[in-house]
């Protein structure tokens, strides 16, 4: 048996039980993913991914000089109705990737100059991804590893990543159970996300260093938590609720990233899917953020005096919306592709 196949067989033996009657995420759907059944995440026990690229649209602490080495996985535990990555998170775009191929993708990103390995939406595949990170470390990966998620995760699953992940990038989408029920079909999201974020804070203390290159100095995060919150148009009270919580429980322990780039997505799909999405999106105003809202958000964040906070400039540019059918899913200014699901396998 080849080393690649042996590693895959050993990995399946080690964590296969975690995919049987699956309880990995708070949905606890009980699907026999090891037996080929899809969970509510849309995936079996087969790890699949769609794209890897150097991404320059993340927070400056992550992109620094070389960009963040993002790997986008297929499927999702939360399945937000407004998801910009819906092609891969909800419609299954992507292909199987073994632990050894995952390791090679990580090394390709490292060789291309990435500042870190940024794992996007892998909550439903923590055991397999943990195996992949170990394979990448054994193969020579030295970069910090970042976990980029919705925070709809169980602390017990996150424990499998302790010592493997250095940086945590959780969303705190809302603390309003009615909104999370409407938008995610998960009324328990606020409670679950707070538990997950508390666990992340306990695992990775904040460590930021100054990096100098070509006469310029920039800050780089090596360890810690960046908590992201996307402002939804017309829902200022919900954002106030989130910022109140972060001020009380995360200020000084984590960076806060308040995002104002909400953009209506031109979704494609069948009639039933689109009708369900439209009904869900009626929970808020599905439009770009207005100039008045942007001004209000700026005044709001000034009043909190967070120790470390990022805020985006308002823009009506929608060219950054990804299309994962393309090898370059993003604009060329935003990302540089390294691997794509339609590439031939590199076994």
């Amino acid at each position: 048996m080849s080393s690649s196949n042996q590693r895959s067989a050993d990995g399946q033996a080690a964590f296969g039980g975690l995919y049987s009657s699956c309880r990995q995420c708070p949905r606890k759907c009980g699907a026999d993913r090891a037996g080929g059944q899809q969970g509510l995440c849309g995936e079996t026990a087969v790890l699949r991914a769609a794209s890897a690229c150097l991404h320059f649209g993340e927070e400056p602490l992550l992109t620094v000089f070389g960009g963040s080495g993002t790997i986008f996985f297929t499927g999702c535990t939360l399945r937000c109705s407004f998801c910009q990555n819906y092609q891969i998170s909800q419609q299954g775009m992507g292909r199987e990737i073994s632990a050894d191929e995952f390791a090679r993708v990580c090394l390709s990103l490292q060789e291309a100059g990435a500042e870190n390995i940024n794992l996007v939406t892998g909550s439903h595949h923590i055991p397999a991804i943990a195996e992949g990170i170990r394979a990448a470390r054994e193969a020579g990966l030295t970069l910090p590893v970042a976990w980029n998620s919705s925070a709809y995760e169980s602390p017990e699953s996150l424990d499998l990543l302790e010592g493997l992940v250095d940086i945590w990038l959780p969303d705190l989408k809302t603390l309003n159970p009615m909104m999370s029920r409407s938008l995610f079909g998960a009324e328990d999201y606020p409670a679950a996300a707070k538990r997950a974020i508390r666990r992340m804070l306990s695992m990775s203390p904040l460590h930021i260093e100054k990096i100098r290159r070509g006469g310029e100095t920039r800050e780089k995060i090596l360890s810690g938590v960046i908590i992201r919150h996307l402002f939804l148009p017309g829902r200022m009270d919900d954002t106030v609720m989130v910022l109140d919580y972060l001020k009380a429980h995360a200020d000084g322990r984590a960076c806060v990233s308040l995002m104002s780039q909400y953009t209506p997505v031109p979704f494609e799909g069948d009639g039933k899917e689109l009708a369900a999405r439209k009904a869900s999106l009626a929970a808020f105003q599905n439009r770009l953020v207005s100039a008045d809202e942007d001004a209000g958000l700026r005044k709001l964040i000034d009043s909190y005096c967070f120790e470390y906070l990022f805020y985006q400039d308002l823009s009506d540019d929608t060219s950054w919306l990804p299309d994962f059918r393309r090898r370059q899913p993003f604009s060329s200014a935003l990302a540089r592709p390294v691997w794509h699901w339609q590439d031939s396998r590199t076994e």
Side-chain angles (χ1 to χ4, degrees), residues 100-131:
D100 282 356
E101 185 173 12
F102 171 86
R104 284 189 286 275
V105 172
C106 290
L107 293 178
S108 295
L109 289 166
Q110 180 169 272
E111 292 163 6
E115 303 285 353
N116 44 66
I117 301 299
N118 186 340
L119 307 177
V120 184
T121 318
S123 307
H124 51 300
H125 267 307
I126 287 177
I129 293 172
E131 181 201 7

Side-chain angles (χ1 to χ4, degrees), residues 283-303:
F284 68 102
Q285 298 173 26
N286 184 27
R287 56 169 174 77
L288 294 171
V289 175
S290 70
D292 285 345
E293 285 172 324
D294 177 64
L297 288 169
R298 290 177 182 275
K299 289 179 182 178
L300 179 65
I301 58 177
D302 285 345
S303 70

Side-chain angles (χ1 to χ4, degrees), residues 4-52:
S4 174
N5 290 338
Q6 182 63 55
R7 185 188 298 278
S8 177
D10 290 346
Q12 287 292 336
F15 61 69
L18 297 174
Y19 286 92
S20 301
S21 188
C22 191
R23 295 290 188 274
Q24 284 188 52
C25 84
R27 293 196 190 276
K28 301 185 186 303
C29 68
D32 181 13
R33 295 172 61 194
Q37 184 179 2
Q38 289 183 340
L40 290 177
C41 60
E43 296 298 303
T44 67
V46 175
L47 178 64
R48 298 196 301 146
S51 175

Side-chain angles (χ1 to χ4, degrees), residues 89-342:
S89 65
Q90 300 169 23
Q91 293 185 341
M93 191 175 292
R95 71 162 168 82
E96 180 178 357
I97 182 170
S98 68
D100 282 356
E101 185 173 12
F102 171 86
R104 284 189 286 275
V105 172
C106 290
L107 293 178
S108 295
L109 289 166
Q110 180 169 272
E111 292 163 6
E115 303 285 353
N116 44 66
I117 301 299
N118 186 340
L119 307 177
V120 184
T121 318
S123 307
H124 51 300
H125 267 307
I126 287 177
I129 293 172
E131 181 201 7
I133 297 171
R134 283 189 286 266
R137 291 293 188 206
E138 291 170 8
L141 179 69
T142 60
L143 296 176
V145 173
W147 187 255
N148 189 332
S149 75
S150 69
Y152 194 55
E153 298 159 307
S154 71
E156 296 77 18
S157 291
L158 294 175
D159 286 345
L160 299 177
L161 297 170
E162 188 166 13
L164 298 173
V165 167
D166 308 282
I167 303 161
W168 304 89
L169 311 172
D171 292 337
L172 187 53
K173 295 178 181 292
T174 183
L175 291 178
N176 182 337
M178 302 302 290
M179 286 293 288
S180 59
R181 183 176 66 183
S182 296
L183 296 174
F184 322 137
E187 191 169 343
D188 64 334
Y189 172 81
K194 287 190 288 186
R195 285 194 298 269
I197 289 171
R198 285 196 296 268
R199 187 70 187 96
M200 294 172 186
L201 288 168
S202 73
M203 286 195 281
S204 295
L206 194 59
H207 180 195
I208 297 170
E209 287 190 354
K210 293 185 183 298
I211 306 297
R212 188 169 179 81
R213 189 177 303 172
E216 185 177 359
T217 300
R218 297 180 183 179
E219 290 185 314
K220 177 177 180 175
I221 185 168
L222 300 178
S223 170
V225 182
I226 300 176
I227 304 171
R228 295 164 161 173
H229 172 67
L230 175 65
F231 169 72
L232 297 179
R235 303 297 305 190
M236 186 69 76
D237 288 348
D238 287 351
T239 289
V240 170
M241 194 185 309
V242 168
L243 294 179
D244 283 347
Y245 177 83
L246 293 178
K247 182 64 181 179
H249 298 282
D251 192 24
R253 303 175 62 201
C255 303
V256 175
S257 181
L258 178 58
M259 301 180 291
S260 61
Q261 88 277 22
Y262 180 83
T263 304
V265 177
F267 294 107
E268 297 178 3
D270 62 33
K272 183 178 179 181
E273 177 187 0
L274 293 177
R277 197 181 297 279
K278 182 178 180 180
S280 176
L281 289 172
F284 68 102
Q285 298 173 26
N286 184 27
R287 56 169 174 77
L288 294 171
V289 175
S290 70
D292 285 345
E293 285 172 324
D294 177 64
L297 288 169
R298 290 177 182 275
K299 289 179 182 178
L300 179 65
I301 58 177
D302 285 345
S303 70
Y304 283 95
C305 297
F306 279 104
E307 186 172 324
Y308 218 125
L309 180 138
F310 296 99
Y311 183 71
Q312 296 171 314
D313 291 329
L314 187 65
S315 172
D316 59 2
D317 179 17
T318 64
S319 64
W320 58 269
L321 287 172
D323 183 350
F324 290 94
R325 293 172 295 193
R326 306 190 309 246
R327 192 173 193 280
Q328 167 56 296
F330 302 92
S331 70
S332 58
L334 195 62
R336 198 173 93 211
V338 170
W339 177 93
H340 188 259
W341 67 276
Q342 292 178 317

